[in-house]
Amino acid sequence: MSTVTESVDVNVPIGTAYNQWTQFEDFPKFMDGVESISQTGPTHTHWVTKIGGQTREFDAEITEQHPDERVAWRSTSGDTKHAGVVTFHRLADNETRVTIQLDWEPEGLVEKVGSAVGVDSHQVKADAKRFKEFIESRGTETGAWRGDVSRPGA
């Protein structure tokens, strides 16, 4: 399993950063390699990605979500095994630290070598920077879903 962690400070209030992150269908606007995301239910999404010329499709489930604090997910089907969490930390009234942690299972030689040399880390860092540019240039979120989701037994 490969783990990537990246943080970015965005110059918007915590609610704005969090609300934007819940708008999964907007991810292709700032995530390189994400072709599309469809919200198939309150806690379920379908992803289509194209990275390194390889297209993958998978379903993911939100396993934990607490407004202005965190969103966690895991893949549930398809050919990509991954899980992640994004946390939001208030630094000031108009400044928020967004921390992304992604755990994934590289498949095949190309992905394993790419992970070993840090290509995945570079990708997450670039996506975090594009998220910062996206939300700061707008100044407001494109929408919001502030539902609370807890893991069973949590």
Side-chain angles (χ1 to χ4, degrees):
M1 182 80 47
S2 180
T3 299
V4 176
T5 303
E6 184 62 44
S7 292
V8 63
D9 294 347
V10 296
N11 295 313
V12 297
I14 193 168
T16 301
Y18 172 86
N19 289 343
Q20 185 61 55
W21 200 272
T22 66
Q23 300 306 290
F24 303 109
E25 293 180 356
D26 285 336
F27 280 17
K29 294 177 180 175
F30 57 85
M31 284 189 174
D32 193 35
V34 175
E35 296 285 310
S36 67
I37 300 175
S38 303
Q39 186 96 30
T40 59
T43 60
H44 292 87
T45 54
H46 179 77
W47 294 58
V48 178
T49 63
K50 187 172 185 179
I51 300 171
Q54 184 161 7
T55 300
R56 294 185 185 249
E57 291 192 44
F58 61 92
D59 294 316
E61 172 186 32
I62 298 168
T63 57
E64 188 177 10
Q65 181 168 333
H66 304 295
D68 300 339
E69 293 178 17
R70 66 191 291 120
V71 178
W73 70 92
R74 66 177 179 86
S75 60
T76 58
S77 69
D79 53 8
T80 299
K81 294 185 188 323
H82 79 271
V85 62
V86 177
T87 56
F88 303 86
H89 308 274
R90 181 186 180 281
L91 301 177
D93 286 349
N94 288 309
E95 187 176 15
T96 304
R97 178 163 295 145
V98 179
T99 300
I100 305 158
Q101 180 181 326
L102 179 63
D103 299 317
W104 69 293
E105 190 66 48
E107 297 178 17
L109 181 61
V110 172
E111 287 184 3
K112 289 178 182 175
V113 169
S115 178
V117 298
V119 171
D120 52 357
S121 181
H122 175 75
Q123 181 69 48
V124 173
K125 183 174 188 164
D127 288 346
K129 182 179 177 188
R130 281 190 293 276
F131 174 76
K132 173 182 174 65
E133 292 166 356
F134 177 80
I135 194 62
E136 287 180 359
S137 69
R138 288 188 49 81
T140 188
E141 61 271 29
T142 61
W145 189 74
R146 298 189 61 84
D148 195 78
V149 177
S150 293
R151 293 178 292 202

